[in-house]
Amino acid sequence: MPESVTAETESNCFGCAPRNPIGLRLDFERHGDVFTTRVKLGVDYESFPGIVHGGIVASILDETLAQAVYRSGRVSAFTTGLRIRYARPMETGTEHTAYAEIVKRDAISMRATGRVETGDGETVAVADGTFYLLTEDALGQNAERIPTDLIKVLRSANGPARQGD
């Protein structure tokens, strides 16, 4: 989930890693409490000719919501629930914008909502997601279920919010 964890363990995230050759390579910006990314996909992501596969649309929304969670609290998280509602097909070869914002936070989870829109502002899909925060307490309580190397990466990625994020 984090943009890049460390020089030794650069993320290969399907959604956001800039060097993943088959990934979406989403790049996020913050505008107040709203996080955005622009995306323009080609035929490699199609279901029907000219239409982005619905699972890819779900991946865009999941990543956008997850980045809002991470960037607003500087805590990595796992998606525990994701609800998508599709309004229209997402076309290949045209730019779309995804948006996300946090709507609820407690000690163990965050909830975010988001959407993908066409360049004309028409809704493609909307999403609601719930994310389990991988705080130090959560990592300690679940250490037997999380690989040791992943715990090290998550501890490295979690930290205080930086200016501009």
Side-chain angles (χ1 to χ4, degrees):
M1 177 176 339
E3 318 79 304
S4 179
V5 180
T6 67
E8 302 84 45
T9 59
E10 185 175 313
S11 173
N12 194 41
C13 175
F14 176 75
C16 69
R19 291 181 190 87
N20 183 331
I22 63 167
L24 300 172
R25 301 181 195 172
L26 301 175
D27 185 30
F28 296 88
E29 296 179 4
R30 183 176 194 163
H31 307 276
D33 292 335
V34 178
F35 298 83
T36 65
T37 186
R38 291 189 177 111
V39 60
K40 181 178 179 179
L41 298 174
V43 297
D44 290 340
Y45 300 95
E46 284 182 340
S47 55
F48 294 100
I51 304 299
V52 175
H53 190 283
I56 298 297
V57 176
S59 293
I60 293 166
L61 284 162
D62 184 40
E63 185 67 26
T64 305
L65 299 179
Q67 286 290 332
V69 167
Y70 177 70
R71 290 167 185 251
S72 65
R74 277 304 198 222
V75 175
S76 298
F78 284 138
T79 307
T80 58
L82 183 64
R83 181 177 174 202
I84 310 279
R85 290 172 308 279
Y86 298 92
R88 60 172 289 148
M90 182 174 176
E91 297 178 34
T92 58
T94 61
E95 187 171 89
H96 294 77
T97 304
Y99 302 85
E101 62 186 313
I102 304 304
V103 294
K104 184 178 179 187
R105 181 186 178 139
D106 60 37
I108 62 169
S109 67
M110 279 188 168
R111 205 174 107 224
T113 61
R115 67 193 184 280
V116 174
E117 291 182 353
T118 66
D120 296 334
E122 292 187 48
T123 300
V124 170
V126 296
D128 298 295
T130 304
F131 298 83
Y132 178 68
L133 300 176
L134 295 168
T135 61
E136 188 59 38
D137 286 344
L139 292 174
Q141 292 170 5
N142 295 289
E144 71 285 348
R145 296 188 296 169
I146 302 173
T148 304
D149 287 345
L150 178 57
I151 290 175
K152 287 179 189 175
V153 168
L154 292 170
R155 284 184 171 143
S156 170
N158 292 347
R162 296 182 303 222
Q163 283 294 65
D165 280 344

Coordinates of all heavy atoms in Angstrom, one line a residue, residues 62 65 78-83 111-112 128-132:
D62 N -10.4 0.2 -4.9 CA -9.7 -0.3 -3.7 C -8.4 0.4 -3.4 O -8.2 0.8 -2.3 CB -9.5 -1.8 -3.9 CG -9.0 -2.5 -2.6 OD1 -9.4 -2.1 -1.5 OD2 -8.1 -3.4 -2.8
L65 N -9.1 4.1 -2.3 CA -9.6 4.2 -0.9 C -8.4 3.8 0.0 O -8.2 4.5 1.1 CB -10.7 3.2 -0.7 CG -12.0 3.4 -1.5 CD1 -13.0 2.3 -1.2 CD2 -12.6 4.8 -1.3
F78 N -5.3 -3.3 5.8 CA -5.8 -4.4 4.9 C -7.3 -4.1 4.6 O -8.0 -3.7 5.5 CB -5.8 -5.8 5.5 CG -4.4 -6.4 5.5 CD1 -4.0 -7.0 6.6 CD2 -3.6 -6.3 4.4 CE1 -2.7 -7.6 6.7 CE2 -2.3 -6.9 4.4 CZ -1.9 -7.6 5.6
T79 N -7.7 -4.2 3.4 CA -9.1 -4.1 3.1 C -9.9 -5.3 3.7 O -9.6 -6.4 3.5 CB -9.4 -4.1 1.5 OG1 -8.5 -3.2 0.9 CG2 -10.8 -3.9 1.2
T80 N -10.9 -5.0 4.5 CA -11.7 -6.0 5.1 C -13.1 -6.1 4.4 O -13.8 -7.1 4.6 CB -11.9 -5.9 6.6 OG1 -12.5 -4.6 6.9 CG2 -10.5 -6.0 7.3
G81 N -13.5 -5.0 3.7 CA -14.8 -5.0 3.0 C -14.8 -4.0 1.9 O -14.2 -2.9 2.1
L82 N -15.3 -4.3 0.8 CA -15.4 -3.4 -0.3 C -16.7 -3.6 -1.1 O -16.9 -4.7 -1.5 CB -14.2 -3.6 -1.3 CG -14.0 -2.7 -2.4 CD1 -13.8 -1.2 -2.0 CD2 -12.9 -3.1 -3.4
R83 N -17.4 -2.6 -1.2 CA -18.7 -2.6 -1.9 C -18.6 -1.7 -3.1 O -18.4 -0.5 -2.9 CB -19.9 -2.2 -1.0 CG -21.2 -2.3 -1.7 CD -22.3 -2.0 -0.8 NE -23.5 -1.9 -1.5 CZ -24.6 -1.3 -1.2 NH1 -24.6 -0.6 0.0 NH2 -25.7 -1.3 -1.9
R111 N -13.1 3.8 7.5 CA -14.0 3.6 6.4 C -13.8 4.8 5.4 O -13.7 5.9 5.8 CB -15.4 3.6 6.9 CG -16.3 2.8 5.9 CD -17.7 2.6 6.4 NE -18.5 3.5 5.6 CZ -19.5 4.3 6.0 NH1 -19.8 4.3 7.3 NH2 -20.1 5.0 5.2
A112 N -13.8 4.4 4.1 CA -13.6 5.4 3.1 C -14.6 5.2 2.0 O -15.1 4.1 1.8 CB -12.2 5.3 2.5
D128 N -17.6 1.9 -1.3 CA -17.4 2.0 0.2 C -16.5 0.9 0.6 O -16.6 -0.2 0.2 CB -18.7 1.8 0.9 CG -19.8 2.9 0.5 OD1 -19.6 4.1 0.7 OD2 -20.8 2.5 -0.1
G129 N -15.5 1.3 1.4 CA -14.5 0.3 1.9 C -14.2 0.4 3.4 O -14.3 1.5 3.9
T130 N -14.0 -0.7 4.0 CA -13.6 -0.7 5.4 C -12.2 -1.3 5.4 O -11.9 -2.3 4.7 CB -14.5 -1.6 6.2 OG1 -15.9 -1.1 6.0 CG2 -14.2 -1.6 7.7
F131 N -11.3 -0.7 6.2 CA -9.9 -1.1 6.3 C -9.4 -1.3 7.7 O -9.7 -0.5 8.6 CB -9.0 0.0 5.6 CG -9.4 0.2 4.2 CD1 -10.4 1.0 3.8 CD2 -8.6 -0.5 3.2 CE1 -10.8 1.1 2.5 CE2 -8.9 -0.3 1.9 CZ -10.0 0.5 1.5
Y132 N -8.8 -2.5 8.0 CA -8.3 -2.8 9.3 C -6.9 -2.2 9.4 O -6.0 -2.5 8.6 CB -8.2 -4.4 9.4 CG -7.6 -4.9 10.7 CD1 -8.2 -4.7 11.9 CD2 -6.4 -5.5 10.7 CE1 -7.7 -5.1 13.1 CE2 -5.8 -6.0 11.9 CZ -6.5 -5.8 13.1 OH -6.0 -6.2 14.3

